[in-house]
Structure formats: structure tokens, C-alpha cells
Amino acid sequence: MATTRLTLAPLLLIALVLLVTKATAQPAAPAPGPAGPINLTAILEKGGQFTTFIHLLNITQVGSQVNIQVNSSSEGMTVFAPTDNAFQNLKPGTLNQLTPDEQVKLILYHVSPKFYSMDDLLSVSNPVRTQASGRDNGVYGLNFTGQTNQINVSTGYVETRVSNALRQQRPLAVYVVDMVLLPGEMFGEHKLSPIAPAPKSKSGGVSDDSGSTKKAASPSDKSGSGEKKVGLGFGLGLVVLCLKFLF
């Protein structure tokens, strides 16, 4: 009987240890769930210097379009985000002169319907297509040049540096630019840039290309000179006639 108790004692001890261990063990951490949908506005808000760009994304609804497309497209997207300073450096009234449709085009011009890493931008075939298009569905493009430590983007109207990346992970890349990307198709010569009237001189004439002022002759000047010529001819004729009668 004593032998049996001695045999069961180690088994009971082992069972007790297992029960205590199970009771005190920490529950396993739950497996991480799927990542939430990508939100462009949240990325820009975290950057902290894109208030104007976020406002324009909202009023044009381009921000919502990007969020929908980037979460459903296999190609991904690339966004070039101008800073608040970039918008402040625009000529006063630049944004106000745009129609709602032109504002949409301007913001779409900062979005490419494909994911590009920094390395991709160095070797990409120019021009890079954007979401903006003009008449006859002509697509507005961007041109990229540079080296490993610096990439420049040109619109044909302005050129600036691609500063750094707020996000560079598929399916969305968001890069900071120090200037608003103004498409040449909209802001080029004789487009949205107002044409200044010809400068007027103090005397009231119109300046020519050389800077000299030409004053138009008044009708009175022309008629006065004609009257002087007629009067002089009549006087000479009368003198000749009197001499004939005398001699």
C-alpha cells in the first residue's frame, strides 16, 4: 500500500504543476487583422504642411477618387503634394481665376494613375501620364530628370524638386514638391496668364517697342498747315496780277 502511494505521488505532483501552469499562462496575442483602407488625407495630415492641398482635394472630390481607386487598382497611384508654402508662392489670384473644372484639372495633374518609386522616376519614360486631360482627351504629362540624390519634375511651365516621400509603399506613393505643378496647357502663353495692355506715356501717346513715344497728329494740325499753303498761293497770285496792270 505504501509502495502504491509513493508511485502515485510524483504523478499527482506533475498533474498539479500542469494545472497551475495552464491557469497562470498568458493568453496568446490575437493575430493582426488586415490593414485598413489607404487614406490620402490622413497621410497628408500626418505630414503637417498640406492644408491648402487637402482643402482642394476635398472641394474637388479628387481625394475621394484617389482613395477609391488606390484601394481597388492593381496599378497603384502616385501623388505629388505641394506644400502650403508652394501655394503661398503663387501669383496672387492664381487659384481664384480658375473655374471649378480647371481646379479639378489642376489637382488631377498632381496624380498619376500608376505607382512609381523614386528609382522608377529616375528611369521612367517621359512624359509620365497624369489623371488630368484637356480637349480631345489629350492627357497632361510630367517630365522627370535627375540623379540618385535629386529628382526634378517639369510641367513645361514650371520645374521643381521632388523633395521627399511621405509614403513609398505599394499601392500608393506620395511625394512632396516645393512648387505647385502648373500645366503648360493651362498656364502657358496666352492661356490663363492675363495679357497686360500697352503702356501709355504721360503725354497720352502709345509707346512703341523702342520705348519712344509717338504722338498722333491731330486733325487741326493737318488742316492748319493746308490753310497756310492755300493763303500764301492766293497772295502771290494777286501781286502778279497788279504788276501786269501797272506795266
Side-chain angles (χ1 to χ4, degrees):
M1 187 70 173
T3 303
T4 303
R5 289 177 180 177
L6 290 174
T7 304
L8 292 175
L11 296 176
L12 292 173
L13 182 61
I14 293 172
L16 181 62
V17 171
L18 291 175
L19 288 172
V20 172
T21 302
K22 185 177 181 180
T24 58
Q26 294 293 331
I38 297 171
N39 188 298
L40 175 59
T41 300
I43 295 171
L44 294 172
E45 287 176 345
K46 188 176 180 180
Q49 54 178 337
F50 304 96
T51 304
T52 304
F53 189 50
I54 291 173
H55 173 69
L56 291 171
L57 284 169
N58 290 335
I59 65 173
T60 59
Q61 299 185 352
V62 172
S64 300
Q65 296 175 21
V66 170
N67 290 336
I68 293 172
Q69 189 168 339
V70 78
N71 285 289
S72 59
S73 171
S74 59
E75 291 291 326
M77 305 193 81
T78 302
V79 176
F80 300 94
T83 62
D84 289 333
N85 285 336
F87 282 100
Q88 291 173 5
N89 290 332
L90 286 176
K91 181 180 178 180
T94 298
L95 296 180
N96 292 334
Q97 71 175 330
L98 301 179
T99 65
D101 181 59
E102 289 168 341
Q103 287 185 354
V104 171
K105 287 182 180 180
L106 177 62
I107 301 307
L108 286 175
Y109 190 57
H110 291 73
V111 181
S112 176
K114 186 177 180 180
F115 174 87
Y116 292 101
S117 67
M118 285 284 196
D119 291 338
D120 292 336
L121 294 178
L122 286 172
S123 58
V124 74
S125 177
N126 289 319
V128 171
R129 182 181 175 220
T130 70
Q131 291 284 73
S133 60
R135 295 180 179 179
D136 301 324
N137 295 322
V139 176
Y140 294 177
L142 295 169
N143 294 286
F144 294 88
T145 57
Q147 300 175 352
T148 305
N149 58 346
Q150 180 173 335
I151 300 174
N152 293 336
V153 54
S154 173
T155 71
Y157 185 72
V158 297
E159 182 173 350
T160 188
R161 178 186 175 191
V162 180
S163 302
N164 60 290
L166 296 178
R167 176 189 168 98
Q168 192 179 181
Q169 181 181 358
R170 287 185 179 276
L172 177 65
V174 182
Y175 299 114
V176 180
V177 288
D178 299 325
M179 293 180 66
V180 180
L181 304 180
L182 304 177
E185 291 86 347
M186 290 174 59
F187 291 87
E189 186 178 4
H190 305 310
K191 299 295 190 307
L192 293 177
S193 300
I195 301 175
K200 293 184 177 180
S201 66
K202 294 182 179 179
S203 60
V206 179
S207 299
D208 61 11
D209 294 337
S210 62
S212 61
T213 301
K214 297 180 179 180
K215 186 175 179 180
S218 64
S220 60
D221 292 340
K222 294 180 180 179
S223 61
S225 61
E227 289 174 357
K228 289 179 182 179
K229 291 180 180 179
V230 172
L232 181 59
F234 179 77
L236 290 175
L238 184 61
V239 170
V240 171
L241 184 62
C242 291
L243 290 175
K244 285 184 178 181
F245 278 109
L246 291 176
F247 296 99

